[in-house]
DNA sequence: AAATTGGGCGTACATTTGTAAGCTGAAAGT
DNA sequence: ACTTTCAGCTTACAAATGTACGCCCAATTT
């Protein structure tokens, strides 16, 4: 095995260890370098061969999380071909995502309002991608102004994100309720955005 | 000075010290018992005379924060007498609140998706009060079903909260933009909720 | 073949943390 | 006047943390 390969491998081990330890009761901030190193199976000081500090690791995690989100979006758009309702398909796809990758979602959710400005803007950037693509879709669909579309898209993303946060801790049954509620909220927004007098 | 008075006084000192230390770069979770005690001007172990642990203090802070929120709501309703637009008055009042008590707002914002289930549900409860009162208002105003009103109210509160989070770090100018955007979003919701076919 | 590089390790240290144990002195109760 | 109560203090300790320093040895380069 080549040296670069091995290095990449332990780098992944660190990243995976970090994701692994994130949970409902464990935020990234409460993660210690030593804990991550332990989980990754390396000595604490070896951590520095890959990241300058925990912040650098954290930003990497946020980037990866954002990447996964964008993949999710593509997936949702593919589903649209076979399904008429944009809104319900999107919300349901999102719910599947947060269940499958709850740790990733929790990271983004928390660091969005976390203590590190770098983290906050990193998450904001990822969400912005999300909004921009949705706005683009809305503008084409509804033939409204780009600004109007963006404002609507942002509201939609906020609502869906929040619904995801609630759904994380909920039972299957409650999560279904939340999904329906969110769909209704998005439809309110969609209907209202068509109104001339705002 | 009576003994009970003195005890209450240091209790307040602890609470105030905790609020004082919350900031953009310091969450409650990253607050240590010793730090708070130092700021409050007492010995670390004296902390235990007032709270069993940091969690108990944190829940107290959340309660106080919720109380302040409800006071804010009353204030907004009083302003309504002299002003026609419910939505813009409410959003503007909210923005004033988060600027004046940014530490309090940050606490609620973060612990809403924090690592402690007790904190999360405490914050959720406070926000629920907010929603319930708003829903009541909407129901009377729009003569819609209680359920519909609640769904709309929740969406509104989520959007306003999120706008507040963005506004915290923003300049006066940007904050104004955010305020206008949020008002527009709420109007979309209000207009859309009147649509029969959802 | 020899020299260099670099990932991983063990040791070590200064800090910070939560909290246990026990003392003190003034307020409150008798 | 006495005893009791109790908020606050000092001291003490074990645990955990970030990270500096230097060694090792296999992959790479020369």
């Amino acid at each position: 095995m080549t040296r670069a390969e091995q290095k990449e491998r332990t780098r992944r081990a660190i990243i995976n260890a970090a994701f692994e330890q994130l949970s409902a009761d464990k935020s990234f901030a409460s993660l210690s370098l030593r804990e991550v190193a332990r989980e990754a199976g390396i000595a604490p000081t070896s951590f520095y061969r890959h990241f300058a500090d925990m912040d650098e690791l954290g930003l990497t995690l946020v980037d990866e999380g954002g990447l996964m989100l964008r993949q999710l979006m593509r997936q949702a758009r593919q589903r649209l071909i076979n399904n008429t309702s944009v809104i319900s398909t999107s919300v349901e796809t999102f719910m599947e995502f947060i269940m499958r990758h709850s740790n990733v979602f929790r990271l983004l959710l928390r660091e969005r309002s976390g203590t590190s400005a770098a983290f906050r803007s990193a998450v904001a950037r990822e969400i912005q991608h999300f909004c921009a693509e949705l706005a683009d879709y809305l503008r084409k669909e509804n033939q409204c102004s780009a600004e109007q579309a963006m404002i609507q898209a942002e509201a939609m993303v906020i609502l869906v994100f929040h619904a995801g946060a609630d759904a994380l801790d909920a039972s299957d049954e409650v999560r279904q309720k939340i999904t329906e509620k969110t769909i209704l909220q998005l439809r309110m927004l969609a209907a209202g955005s068509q109104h001339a007098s705002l």
Side-chain angles (χ1 to χ4, degrees), chain A:
Chain A
M1 186 189 320
T2 162
R3 188 130 87 173
E5 269 174 1
Q6 180 55 42
K7 174 155 188 180
E8 183 56 25
R9 195 169 298 190
T10 47
R11 185 187 146 93
R12 290 281 358 146
I14 293 174
I15 291 174
N16 291 338
F19 269 131
E20 203 67 37
Q21 303 207 330
L22 292 178
S23 70
D25 346 282
K26 197 107 189 167
S27 72
F28 181 78
S30 74
L31 225 63
S32 79
L33 184 150
R34 289 176 107 107
E35 260 177 318
V36 173
R38 215 177 301 134
E39 175 90 11
I42 59 171
T45 49
S46 299
F47 179 94
Y48 295 107
R49 303 287 188 199
H50 303 271
F51 301 96
D53 49 28
M54 285 293 285
D55 277 11
E56 203 172 292
L57 169 61
L59 289 176
T60 304
L61 296 188
V62 171
D63 279 354
E64 295 225 349
L67 203 81
M68 294 172 77
L69 262 188
R70 263 170 282 159
Q71 286 171 351
L72 155 77
M73 214 154 58
R74 257 177 260 141
Q75 187 186 335
R77 242 173 296 154
Q78 281 187 340
R79 286 200 196 180
L80 269 182
I81 300 164
N82 305 325
N83 196 315
T84 44
S85 169
V86 199
I87 286 179
S88 63
T89 306
S90 302
V91 174
E92 278 156 15
T93 309
F94 193 81
M95 286 295 177
E96 285 174 33
F97 173 81
I98 65 156
M99 292 319 290
R100 198 199 307 266
H101 309 288
S102 46
N103 292 357
V104 177
F105 180 66
R106 252 188 261 266
L107 175 76
L108 296 176
L109 189 66
R110 284 177 178 151
E111 298 311 327
R112 185 172 54 141
S113 58
T115 53
S116 156
F119 277 44
R120 284 199 300 271
S121 66
V123 174
R125 182 161 30 83
E126 299 299 337
I127 294 180
Q128 199 59 21
H129 286 151
F130 219 92
C131 288
E133 293 211 31
L134 177 56
D136 201 53
Y137 177 89
L138 291 174
R139 196 174 46 75
K140 284 172 185 158
E141 193 79 2
N142 302 347
Q143 290 149 335
C144 57
S145 76
E147 196 195 354
Q148 181 108 352
M150 194 62 192
I151 288 178
Q152 186 192 346
E154 283 185 17
M156 288 183 152
V157 170
I158 291 166
L159 290 174
V160 172
F161 250 68
H162 185 85
D166 278 354
L168 271 178
D169 303 321
S171 65
D172 285 7
E173 191 192 2
V174 173
R175 183 161 46 255
Q176 191 54 40
K177 281 273 181 208
I178 293 173
T179 304
E180 286 163 19
K181 181 174 78 182
T182 309
I183 289 172
L184 208 58
Q185 287 170 336
L186 296 195
R187 290 206 173 125
M188 281 181 186
L189 264 173
S193 72
Q194 301 292 46
H195 256 248
S197 60
L198 290 175

